[in-house]
């Protein structure tokens, strides 16, 4: 590994809504040397793959389509000195902060920026993570993210895939329905564990109008079929099980923060959210490292993630200017070793006094109304 | 189309590929036939990946001898092939009086066989070294030489070595019927291809009985036994990094908890006799059993996320020992019933098979020169990253990560697609590179990996 030539002042990890919003805020604050790295082949994050409206509302006051919101976020960085390096993967963050990265631009290198903002986002729990028993064909068992990427990237889906069962009733589950329809796949059923649909009720009405059966208070028991393809899912509701014939199953939601590069490092991970522990200034337990967006927890909307990124950008700008301390390593209370990994910690960081100016507007307004 | 060979090996599992590799050392014309689209696509893909020295096997068996030899050869030959192996050691645990008695007896038995590197541990010693074990363990047997290895790259290295040194590998070539010739056999595939061989080696694992029946042999019955596993996230290795298993019962070795060479921890296998030898589905009951075993043995692991579950099928027969049956007056050699130690025993089995054939059946000389072969070491991401970093100066594709969980670069996937034994399915690509094997199971990279695979497969 080599030391990179030209360390950026601020390194942002992730070019999704939170990372891009943080970069825009840093640029606005006049911080000049900002580098965004993203391990994918194009910037914009997960909204890139969601070709339907509903993105960016809280941040941009308009329900853009996913790709349009991604484009808007990128547009904000035009004519700013912010650089984006695609195909660059963060491998680890150590105290310093020292970031180990690999990518076509840097090779395998160490970056030592003054400030880092982690905005690595989330992923969905797949069939394996949920330990749903049954057959394990190579194709036909999906997540929303995988289906949307396959469709977006024009990758062939199995030709027999005509009927899909979607597990989950969150916003993203309905996003999956829209993508499936776009790809010519009919969603035959939606399976939710709760009493009611977890997205807007209108989404439920729309789904029913499209002829989708919504099975609430239900859980998927197993996947039936052959080693080549899915043929049905077994669903249980009130101790009654029944089979729903289908050619594929899509697992939606069940959000997990993407912390692969943080797992073995010193950063404290919250046992509840599975994301980094941050304080009010979005500072993690590593001095100089901030975190924002859905890596902090699953799941908020893209607009909320962008707002959070903006806030982290503002905080990072203050840290760069020396107006707030960039944090200090904290002694942590160790959890019982056999229960959870050592880096999972429930203890809260030291509170930091911040002026109201740095509370997001929506919270500040509510606070002022109260007092 | 008809082609002629000296020897045809049916079945490219870990045993068939190891035999083909050893045969490639001689001046012989050899073909390796596989019914599935890829090598190692049945029993060899769903095992515990333990590299066992064989001490727990009944000493009067052929299995005992061949597993010991296979283990020794693996230690010797794996490094040159690029295959990783870690001696993590194995613990056999006892909770009850009965179990302690069984282990005491086992300890005396193994020591009497001359294995000195085998120990008996008391409760206090166990907990001081491995504090994360669940309560109540009274004693354990400690076999420090037991290891773990890469279950997918191992047959890959064997088949690649065999092909590089002259063996013809034909996948998607199920043997449909056989004709006895005056000197050897003619094998027919479903799509009317024919190969003729002076000697046939039946190493068709789970389907050995079907192939045997084609030639008119019915010496054993298959008793396929399914084993289900859970794969835990890499965070588990901080809690558990040793092969741990309960005291064996007459029914089998029981559910073990073991690190994998890739840094995960696996829990399994179950042992279920099933009617359908292709039924590699996981079940509600099976997974419940695995979770219970985990909660009893290493309760801390229950807090670790599960990456996935899988099931394998042991090609067991109604005999407990291997079924290696020479029928040289009929130009046929049966290598079957390699029930659950095939991964450790493969090189020993191959050596034994060669010993049966050369010089008695084929009086041939070894080849003068061989082309060395190695496969990428997929065990530790850190080693691979260093190598990728070095290579990326000349070719940036090695620095562009495709699978982020396992750190597999675009360059590595591209190389696997261009292999002399290229993957025919996306699962074949997955096993060659580990792309999509990580915690996200393809959420991030699945579409790009599929796109690269489709691109290669286009005419």
């Amino acid at each position: 590994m080599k030391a990179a030539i030209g360390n950026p002042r601020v390194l942002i990890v992730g070019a999704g809504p939170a990372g891009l919003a943080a970069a825009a805020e840093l640029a606005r604050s006049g911080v000049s040397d900002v580098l965004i790295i993203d391990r994918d082949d194009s910037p914009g994050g997960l909204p890139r793959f969601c070709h339907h409206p509903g993105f960016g509302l809280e941040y941009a006051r308009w329900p853009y389509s996913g790709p349009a919101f991604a484009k808007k976020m990128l547009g904000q960085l035009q004519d700013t000195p912010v650089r984006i390096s695609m195909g660059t993967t963060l491998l680890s963050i150590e105290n310093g902060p020292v970031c180990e990265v690999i990518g076509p631009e840097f090779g395998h290198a160490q970056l030592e920026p003054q400030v880092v903002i982690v905005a690595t986002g989330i992923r969905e729990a797949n069939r394996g993570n949920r330990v749903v028993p049954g057959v394990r064909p190579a194709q036909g068992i999906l997540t929303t993210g995988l289906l949307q990427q396959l469709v977006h990237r024009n990758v062939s889906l199995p030709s027999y895939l005509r009927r899909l069962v979607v597990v989950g009733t969150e916003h993203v589950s309905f996003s999956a329905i829209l993508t499936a329809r776009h790809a010519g796949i009919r969603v035959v059923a939606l399976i939710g564990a709760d009493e009611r649909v977890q997205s807007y009720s209108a989404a439920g009405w729309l789904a029913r109008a499209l002829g989708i059966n919504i099975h609430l208070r239900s859980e998927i028991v197993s996947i039936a079929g052959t080693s080549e393809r899915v043929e049905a899912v077994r669903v249980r509701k009130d101790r009654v099980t029944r089979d729903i014939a289908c050619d594929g199953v899509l697992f939606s939601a069940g959000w997990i923060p993407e912390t692969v590069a943080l797992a073995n490092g010193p950063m404290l991970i919250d046992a509840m959210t599975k994301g980094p522990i941050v304080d009010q200034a979005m500072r993690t337990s590593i001095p100089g490292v901030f975190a924002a967006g859905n890596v902090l927890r699953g799941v908020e909307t893209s607009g909320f993630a962008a707002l959070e990124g903006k806030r982290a950008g503002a905080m990072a700008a203050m840290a760069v200017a020396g107006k707030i301390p960039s944090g200090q390593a904290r002694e942590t209370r160790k959890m019982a070793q056999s229960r959870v990994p050592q880096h999972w910690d429930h203890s809260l960081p030291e509170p930091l006094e911040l002026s109201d100016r740095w509370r997001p507007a929506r919270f500040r307004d509510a606070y002022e109304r109260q007092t | 189309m008809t082609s002629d060979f000296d020897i045809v090996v049916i079945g490219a599992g870990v045993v068939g590929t190891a035999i083909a590799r050893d045969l490639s050392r001689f001046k012989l014309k050899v073909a390796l036939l596989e019914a599935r689209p890829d090598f190692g696509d049945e029993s060899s893909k769903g095992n515990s990946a333990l590299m066992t020295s064989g001490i727990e096997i009944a000493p009067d068996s052929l299995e005992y001898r061949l597993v010991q030899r296979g283990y020794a050869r693996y230690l010797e030959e794996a490094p040159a092939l690029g295959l990783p192996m870690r001696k993590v050691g194995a613990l056999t645990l006892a909770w009850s009086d009965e179990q302690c008695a069984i282990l005491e007896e086992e300890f005396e038995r193994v020591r009497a066989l001359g294995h000195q590197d085998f120990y008996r541990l008391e409760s206090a010693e166990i907990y001081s070294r491995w504090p994360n074990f669940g309560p109540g363990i009274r004693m354990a047997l400690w076999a420090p030489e037991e290891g773990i290895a890469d279950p997918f790259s191992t047959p890959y290295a064997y088949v690649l070595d065999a092909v590089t040194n002259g063996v013809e590998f034909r996948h998607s070539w199920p043997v449909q019927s056989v004709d006895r010739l005056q000197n050897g056999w003619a094998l027919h595939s479903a799509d009317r291809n024919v190969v003729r061989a002076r000697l046939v080696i039946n190493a068709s694992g789970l389907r050995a009985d079907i192939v045997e029946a084609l030639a008119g042999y019915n010496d054993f019955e298959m008793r396929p036994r399914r084993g289900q596993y859970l794969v835990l996230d890499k965070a588990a290795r901080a809690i558990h990094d040793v092969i741990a298993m309960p005291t064996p019962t007459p029914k089998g070795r029981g559910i073990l908890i073991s690190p994998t060479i890739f840094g995960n921890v696996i829990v399994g296998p179950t042992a279920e006799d099933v009617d359908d030898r292709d039924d590699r589905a996981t079940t509600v009951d099976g997974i419940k059993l695995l979770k219970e075993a985990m909660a009893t043995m290493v309760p801390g692991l229950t807090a670790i996320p599960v990456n996935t579950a899988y099931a394998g099928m042991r090609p067991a027969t109604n005999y407990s020992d291997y079924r290696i049956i020479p029928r040289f007056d009929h130009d046929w050699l049966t290598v079957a019933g390699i029930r659950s130690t095939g991964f450790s025993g493969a090189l020993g089995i191959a050596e034994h098979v060669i010993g049966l054939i050369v010089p008695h059946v084929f009086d041939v000389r070894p080849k003068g020169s061989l082309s060395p072969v190695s496969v990428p070491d997929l065990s530790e991401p850190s080693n691979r990253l260093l190598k990728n970093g070095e290579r990326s100066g000349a070719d940036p594709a090695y620095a562009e990560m495709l699978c982020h969980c396992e750190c597999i670069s675009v360059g590595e996937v591209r190389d696997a697609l261009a292999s002399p034994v290229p993957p025919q399915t996306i699962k074949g690509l997955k096993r060659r590179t580990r792309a999509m094997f990580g915690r996200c199971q393809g959420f991030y990279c699945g579409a790009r990996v599929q796109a690269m695979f489709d691109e290669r497969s286009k005419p």
Side-chain angles (χ1 to χ4, degrees):
Chain A
M1 202 177 358
K2 60 188 180 192
I5 313 127
N7 279 311
R9 189 176 289 265
V10 181
L11 178 73
I12 298 175
V13 187
L20 294 175
E25 187 61 22
L26 280 157
R28 215 169 289 143
S29 311
V31 178
S32 59
D33 190 9
V34 178
L35 172 69
I36 308 178
I37 59 168
D38 191 295
R39 61 196 195 176
D40 210 340
D41 55 356
S42 70
L46 291 185
R48 265 177 309 163
F49 309 124
C50 310
H51 294 263
H52 58 82
F55 291 83
L57 191 60
E58 296 91 335
Y59 181 80
R61 311 262 171 229
W62 188 257
Y64 289 94
S65 79
F69 182 52
K71 204 171 152 201
K72 181 186 162 56
M73 297 302 293
L74 282 165
Q76 287 190 328
L77 300 181
Q78 257 178 7
D79 308 320
T80 70
V82 173
R83 286 190 303 128
I84 304 183
S85 170
M86 296 309 302
T88 302
T89 304
L90 174 75
L91 298 169
S92 68
I93 304 185
E94 297 295 328
N95 285 315
V98 177
C99 297
E100 181 189 0
V101 301
I102 189 164
E105 185 175 334
F106 298 96
H108 187 205
Q110 253 182 14
L111 297 177
E112 293 181 30
Q114 190 180 340
V115 167
V116 179
I117 301 176
V118 175
T120 47
I122 33 165
R123 63 178 172 85
E124 292 166 290
N126 52 58
R127 182 266 181 96
N129 303 147
R130 297 172 195 235
V131 206
V132 176
V135 295
R136 301 174 308 109
Q139 287 177 300
I141 299 178
L142 303 157
T143 51
T144 315
L146 178 56
L147 175 70
Q148 290 184 332
Q149 274 211 50
L150 286 166
V151 172
H152 178 84
R153 293 179 187 276
N154 242 334
V155 181
S156 61
L157 286 156
S159 56
Y160 61 80
L161 186 55
R162 288 275 158 268
R163 300 162 304 165
L164 190 66
V165 167
V166 172
V167 181
T169 63
E170 292 188 25
H171 294 331
V172 68
S173 319
F174 294 92
S175 178
I177 293 174
L178 295 173
T179 307
R181 280 175 64 82
H182 178 75
I185 302 166
R186 194 160 64 87
V187 175
V188 291
L190 209 58
I191 298 162
D194 304 281
E195 288 282 332
R196 56 173 67 87
V197 168
Q198 297 298 295
S199 182
Y200 311 113
S201 6
W205 302 333
L206 180 70
R208 288 190 181 94
L210 291 171
I212 300 168
N213 289 317
I214 303 184
H215 302 267
L216 295 170
R217 300 201 315 280
S218 303
E219 64 168 332
I220 180 165
V221 181
S222 63
I223 300 172
T226 65
S227 57
E228 306 304 322
R229 55 170 287 186
V230 176
E231 287 169 354
V233 292
R234 182 156 293 174
V235 175
R236 180 167 51 212
K237 179 180 187 175
D238 304 332
R239 295 198 194 132
V240 180
T241 58
R242 65 150 133 182
D243 289 353
I244 301 172
C246 60
D247 317 308
V249 199
L250 183 145
F251 292 89
S252 68
W255 300 105
I256 302 169
E258 176 55 13
T259 56
V260 63
L262 314 174
N264 297 319
M267 189 181 291
L268 291 181
I269 301 294
D270 189 306
M272 296 289 285
T273 63
K274 309 282 192 284
I277 291 174
V278 289
D279 65 9
Q280 304 96 308
M282 320 300 286
R283 300 177 304 183
T284 68
S285 63
I286 302 181
V289 181
F290 296 69
N294 279 329
V295 69
L296 296 180
R297 97 266 88 190
V299 59
E300 291 288 354
T301 61
S302 56
F304 186 96
L307 270 187
E308 222 168 32
K310 184 181 174 184
R311 181 170 156 73
M315 293 298 155
M318 289 180 74
V320 167
K323 289 181 189 159
I324 61 167
S326 52
Q328 49 188 283
R330 284 177 288 268
E331 278 298 309
T332 60
R333 194 173 66 224
K334 272 190 186 154
M335 301 295 298
Q337 203 187 13
S338 63
R339 281 256 152 254
V340 290
Q342 280 179 25
H343 63 277
W344 288 3
D345 187 278
H346 283 291
S347 65
L348 291 170
E350 291 294 317
L352 172 87
E353 284 308 316
L354 278 177
S355 73
D356 275 342
R357 198 175 143 223
W358 297 109
R359 296 188 200 284
R362 54 190 257 190
F363 298 143
R364 192 169 68 227
D365 295 348
Y367 179 76
E368 276 164 7
R369 271 201 303 278
Q370 264 178 29
T371 49
Chain B
M1 207 181 83
T2 308
S3 17
D4 290 284
F5 295 94
D6 293 322
I7 300 178
V8 166
V9 181
I10 304 175
V14 71
V15 173
T17 53
I19 294 172
R21 174 174 175 261
D22 275 8
L23 289 174
S24 75
R25 271 47 182 161
F26 293 92
K27 290 174 179 162
L28 287 166
K29 201 163 176 252
V30 180
L32 174 61
L33 305 181
E34 170 54 50
R36 303 280 307 166
D38 208 351
F39 66 86
D41 207 19
E42 281 195 335
S43 295
S44 299
K45 73 181 175 189
N47 52 48
S48 311
L50 299 190
M51 188 48 65
T52 173
S53 62
I55 45 176
E56 85 283 9
I57 301 166
D60 52 353
S61 63
L62 183 63
E63 186 183 10
Y64 174 73
R65 197 154 59 79
L66 299 192
V67 167
Q68 278 200 322
R69 190 59 200 132
Y71 175 87
R73 278 192 71 189
Y74 201 86
L75 289 191
E76 206 173 298
E77 296 172 32
L81 290 168
L83 294 170
M85 190 243 180
R86 263 184 78 210
K87 285 186 189 177
V88 290
L91 281 169
T92 310
L93 308 171
W95 287 266
S96 68
D97 286 343
E98 293 84 1
Q99 289 174 325
C100 290
I102 294 171
L103 291 195
E104 296 284 7
E105 205 176 297
E106 173 80 359
F107 178 67
E108 297 305 329
R109 184 187 72 77
V110 172
R111 273 295 178 95
L113 285 170
H115 297 285
Q116 292 310 308
D117 212 1
F118 189 65
Y119 308 90
R120 186 185 169 289
L121 304 183
E122 297 299 332
S123 179
E125 209 174 343
I126 300 165
Y127 285 108
S128 72
R129 263 189 87 175
W130 297 281
N132 295 328
F133 276 126
I137 296 170
R138 304 250 304 271
M139 70 169 279
L141 298 183
W142 171 232
E145 291 295 299
E146 301 295 281
I148 52 177
D150 181 339
F152 311 115
S153 298
T154 297
Y156 183 36
Y158 296 166
V159 74
L160 210 55
D161 194 345
V163 166
T164 308
N165 289 297
V167 171
E168 208 166 301
F169 172 53
R170 297 194 185 170
H171 62 80
S172 314
W173 213 105
V175 177
Q176 208 76 15
S177 60
V178 303
D179 288 329
R180 185 77 174 105
L181 306 174
Q182 197 173 20
N183 200 351
W185 295 84
L187 311 178
H188 303 264
S189 78
D191 42 8
R192 295 188 187 171
N193 285 315
V194 182
V195 298
R196 283 198 294 253
R198 287 166 62 199
L199 173 70
V200 171
I201 300 176
N202 175 16
S204 51
L206 211 47
R207 274 159 237 282
D209 59 334
I210 299 173
V211 175
E212 289 285 283
L214 293 178
Y217 306 119
N218 298 293
D219 302 80
F220 55 86
E221 285 167 37
M222 293 307 293
R223 296 276 164 79
R225 203 177 316 135
R226 181 170 61 194
Q228 302 184 40
Y229 296 83
L230 288 178
V231 184
L232 305 182
D233 190 82
K234 290 184 177 175
R237 207 169 82 175
I239 297 176
H240 185 83
D241 199 18
V242 63
I243 302 163
M245 59 194 130
T247 303
T249 65
K251 281 162 76 185
R253 206 151 58 154
I255 294 168
L256 55 92
I257 304 184
S258 163
T260 71
I261 196 79
F262 313 110
N264 301 82
V265 168
I266 54 168
V267 184
T270 59
E272 309 148 58
D273 291 316
V274 290
D275 299 328
D276 178 1
R277 61 185 94 193
D278 293 320
D279 185 6
R280 269 186 291 267
T282 54
T283 64
V284 178
D285 293 342
I287 285 169
K288 194 168 152 236
L289 214 58
L290 297 178
K291 287 189 169 170
E292 283 168 4
M294 185 162 73
T296 311
M297 280 162 76
V298 191
L301 290 178
T302 54
I304 301 292
V306 175
N307 279 4
T308 191
Y310 68 92
M313 198 69 76
R314 305 174 185 86
T317 65
N318 52 331
Y319 292 87
S320 65
D321 201 358
Y322 291 171
R323 299 279 88 200
I324 298 182
I325 312 166
R327 312 170 203 268
F328 292 131
D329 42 351
H330 289 96
D331 306 317
W332 190 276
L333 172 60
T334 306
V335 183
I338 316 296
R339 46 190 192 108
S340 65
T341 46
F343 182 60
S344 311
L347 293 176
I349 296 164
E351 194 178 76
H352 178 67
V353 164
I354 300 296
L356 293 172
I357 296 173
V358 181
H360 317 294
V361 186
F362 290 94
D363 191 8
V364 286
R365 307 253 148 262
K367 282 178 190 163
S369 69
L370 293 168
S371 310
V373 165
S374 75
V375 293
D377 176 350
L378 303 179
S379 60
E380 288 290 332
S382 51
N383 298 341
R384 223 176 30 250
L385 283 167
L386 285 177
K387 199 169 159 211
N388 276 329
E390 285 160 16
R391 289 191 287 183
S392 69
D395 186 350
Y398 289 110
E400 186 180 352
M401 295 294 126
L402 190 56
C403 166
H404 311 295
C405 303
E406 297 290 307
C407 295
I408 315 294
S409 65
V410 171
E412 286 163 281
V413 172
R414 189 196 58 199
D415 290 352
L417 288 168
S419 159
V421 184
Q424 303 297 322
T425 62
I426 194 81
K427 284 201 171 177
L429 177 59
K430 191 174 160 180
R431 290 198 287 269
R432 279 170 182 75
T433 58
R434 278 198 74 68
M436 303 196 286
F437 255 123
R439 64 195 80 188
C440 94
Q441 296 276 305
F443 174 89
Y444 289 114
C445 67
R448 285 181 76 188
V449 174
Q450 182 81 46
M452 279 185 78
F453 179 76
D454 289 353
E455 185 63 33
R456 201 280 323 237
S457 316
K458 268 182 202 158

